[in-house]
Amino acid sequence: MSARDDHGYGAPRGLWRELDRHPPPGADAVRRGWRSPLRGPWLTSVLGLVLLVTLPLVIITGLLDYAAYGPQFGQAFPTHVSWLRLPTFDWPTRPSWLFRLTQGLHVGLGIVLIPVVLAKLWSVIPKLFEWPPARSVAQVLERISLLLLVGGILFETATGVLNIQYAYLFGFDFYTAHYFGAWVFIGAFVAHVALKLPRLVTTLRKRRPAVPEQPDPDRLVAERPGPPTLSRRGLLAVVGGGSLLLALLTIGQSLDGPLRRTALLLPRGRNPGSGPNGFQVNRSATAAGIQPAETGQAWRLTLTGGGRTVQLDRATLLAMTQHTARLPIACVEGWSTMQTWTGVRLADLAVLAGVPDPASAHVRSLEQGGLFRQATLQSNQVTDRDALLALRVNGVDLSADHGFPARIIVPALPGVHCTKWVADIEFHDA
Ligand SMILES: Nc1nc2c(c(=O)[nH]1)N[C@H]1C(S)=C(S)[C@@H](COP(=O)(O)O)O[C@H]1N2
Ligand SMILES: [Mo]
């Protein structure tokens, strides 16, 4: 091998040599300290294959969720993402469980894969202590992409988990951080797959190797492996068991009934009370500052858009044609629930307002503050036959916490846009 090959093209050759000659104290000892005989191309490739198949699902469902928020109305945060903007499209209202599925998969799979991601990082951790950190410009670039890959997935997982545990605790905006973090990760992921896929394929095509494996060019195999404390099968069982446990602790948040209590990773709503209104509440009427006086006899629904203003009290709304639909609420945090809602079709309200063919509708709540006191619905989300201004749920009046006197409920609409304590709706013509 010539000195040129060894030291990379266009790089100051002296630099690599100097780095080589001056390892930081103890670097080698630390690297040799990783002695597990289980490390090697086979284990890294198996874990890599699992992530290669599953992570794209997390990525795609995440990007779909972003689209579901209707960024064309400036509702998805961040609104100004310049060239990272995805083509926007009208999020469908059918099947009604679509958002329940995409959001549930995104959050659920993201959680379940944590042990696999950690095991994959563990399998390559000695490389973190390799000296010199790079031997060529190409390797510098590769290692930077690895930094973005590892940093990206840890950041996305941490912000995602924190968001469902302590929603809105951040000093920065969760969506903005998670969205930009996602693109960093996606870029690094694509680069990593392109670089490593050939090696993954050749490794897995071979017969399953002995433990410890033969020394490999990537130096994943320990130089002086210690005695095994766990078989390779045992390690995979621990990782798979960890994922299964997380799955069992997560699945309850998408199931109604007693199993919801098993959703230990769902901080709110594990104990939603009983009766027809006994299902999860993210923000109670008290927390939202809704005064009983505002929702009593004095409450009016105001409709605008067609050049006139229509005001309706609750009795008038109840006297209109009522429609009942069984629809989910699915929250960005990953939980969802199916309930039976009854109320007035939004399409009927649009006709009353004088906008029979609305392009969009802007809904505002009685709530004064808070991020979720308003939402814009697209045309299909107003005209769907099951798009409702719900007055009742499961055969009784909505409870104060579920949005009495009236709330929005629309098939496949993200929960955050199912505005509670609705005060007015403004319909817009095309
Ligand atoms: N006015 C108002 N409506 C709101 C919210 C809110 O904070 N304020 N939260 C939204 C969110 S994030 C969700 S997931 C659903 C939850 O509905 P529920 O509390 O009836 O289960 O209500 C939505 N409607
Ligand atoms: Mo939500």
Side-chain angles (χ1 to χ4, degrees):
M1 206 189 270
S2 76
R4 236 197 133 77
D5 287 338
D6 208 19
H7 293 117
Y9 287 91
R13 283 163 49 178
L15 174 67
W16 312 119
R17 211 177 307 133
E18 281 305 300
L19 282 174
D20 224 342
R21 253 191 240 143
H22 300 286
D28 219 34
V30 172
R31 198 178 59 76
R32 283 164 201 255
W34 301 101
R35 295 177 63 201
S36 171
L38 301 182
R39 283 201 189 83
W42 188 84
L43 181 68
T44 299
S45 297
V46 165
L47 296 169
L49 181 63
V50 173
L51 294 175
L52 177 65
V53 173
T54 48
L55 281 179
L57 260 179
V58 181
I59 293 172
I60 290 166
T61 50
L63 293 176
L64 283 176
D65 288 348
Y66 175 80
Y69 287 106
Q72 65 270 40
F73 301 118
Q75 300 188 110
F77 302 94
T79 29
H80 303 293
V81 296
S82 66
W83 54 272
L84 283 179
R85 225 187 125 103
L86 290 167
T88 51
F89 57 92
D90 277 3
W91 184 251
T93 51
R94 301 288 157 173
S96 65
W97 41 262
L98 182 64
F99 186 75
R100 195 179 195 202
L101 179 75
T102 55
Q103 185 61 33
L105 262 184
H106 181 68
V107 173
L109 209 50
I111 289 175
V112 163
L113 288 177
I114 290 174
V116 186
V117 169
L118 292 179
K120 176 83 166 36
L121 293 179
W122 175 84
S123 79
V124 296
I125 203 163
K127 297 195 65 76
L128 197 61
F129 300 93
E130 205 143 80
W131 196 269
R135 289 173 186 276
S136 65
V137 172
Q139 240 185 43
V140 170
L141 294 179
E142 193 204 326
R143 301 211 71 167
I144 290 175
S145 84
L146 287 177
L147 203 70
L148 298 178
L149 183 77
V150 174
I153 197 153
L154 292 180
F155 181 80
E156 290 302 276
T157 310
T159 49
V161 168
L162 282 173
N163 184 57
I164 55 178
Q165 297 300 306
Y166 312 104
Y168 339 117
L169 178 91
F170 300 99
F172 51 84
D173 178 64
F174 163 74
Y175 297 93
T176 311
H178 205 69
Y179 187 77
F180 285 116
W183 282 111
V184 170
F185 174 71
I186 292 169
F189 181 71
V190 169
H192 189 64
V193 171
L195 282 171
K196 301 289 185 179
L197 191 60
R199 179 145 303 165
L200 183 145
V201 172
T202 44
T203 304
L204 293 182
R205 278 228 178 113
K206 283 190 227 136
R207 249 163 52 91
R208 185 134 51 110
V211 172
E213 287 187 53
Q214 295 297 315
D216 64 314
D218 282 332
R219 304 221 288 168
L220 292 171
V221 179
E223 263 170 52
R224 279 176 296 164
T229 47
L230 192 72
S231 70
R232 196 161 47 194
R233 187 176 294 176
L235 178 79
L236 292 180
V238 167
V239 174
S243 288
L244 187 67
L245 181 68
L246 287 177
L248 290 176
L249 295 181
T250 307
I251 184 79
Q253 64 176 315
S254 306
L255 303 170
D256 289 308
L259 282 176
R260 184 148 300 235
R261 286 171 198 278
T262 63
L264 289 188
L265 294 180
L266 176 72
R268 290 168 294 281
R270 238 184 300 143
N271 210 343
S274 55
N277 272 285
F279 58 96
Q280 167 140 2
V281 174
N282 261 25
R283 193 163 162 82
S284 68
T286 318
I290 304 296
Q291 307 292 331
E294 299 173 277
T295 58
Q297 288 299 319
W299 179 80
R300 297 287 181 280
L301 172 73
T302 305
L303 305 176
T304 54
R308 60 185 123 135
T309 300
V310 181
Q311 293 214 315
L312 307 166
D313 62 13
R314 199 166 185 277
T316 311
L317 286 166
L318 281 168
M320 290 174 64
T321 307
Q322 301 293 298
H323 182 72
T324 296
R326 196 157 166 73
L327 295 175
I329 293 187
C331 179
V332 59
E333 293 166 19
W335 64 266
S336 56
T337 178
M338 275 293 251
Q339 306 295 336
T340 303
W341 308 88
T342 302
V344 182
R345 281 192 170 116
L346 291 178
D348 292 348
L349 295 177
V351 171
L352 267 185
V355 189
D357 197 10
S360 65
H362 189 75
V363 182
R364 269 181 296 259
S365 170
L366 288 170
E367 195 183 349
Q368 292 300 312
L371 278 176
F372 310 142
R373 67 178 195 278
Q374 55 184 341
T376 303
L377 309 179
Q378 328 150 162
S379 171
N380 60 332
Q381 292 167 339
V382 179
T383 55
D384 189 285
R385 67 192 146 80
D386 286 345
L388 300 181
L389 181 74
L391 306 167
R392 295 160 64 79
V393 65
N394 301 321
V396 302
D397 284 347
L398 289 172
S399 69
D401 288 343
H402 284 304
F404 183 89
R407 77 170 304 164
I408 298 293
I409 195 90
V410 171
L413 185 67
V416 62
H417 291 160
C418 297
T419 310
K420 303 195 276 192
W421 316 292
V422 172
D424 60 88
I425 307 176
E426 190 184 307
F427 295 95
H428 298 269
D429 258 318

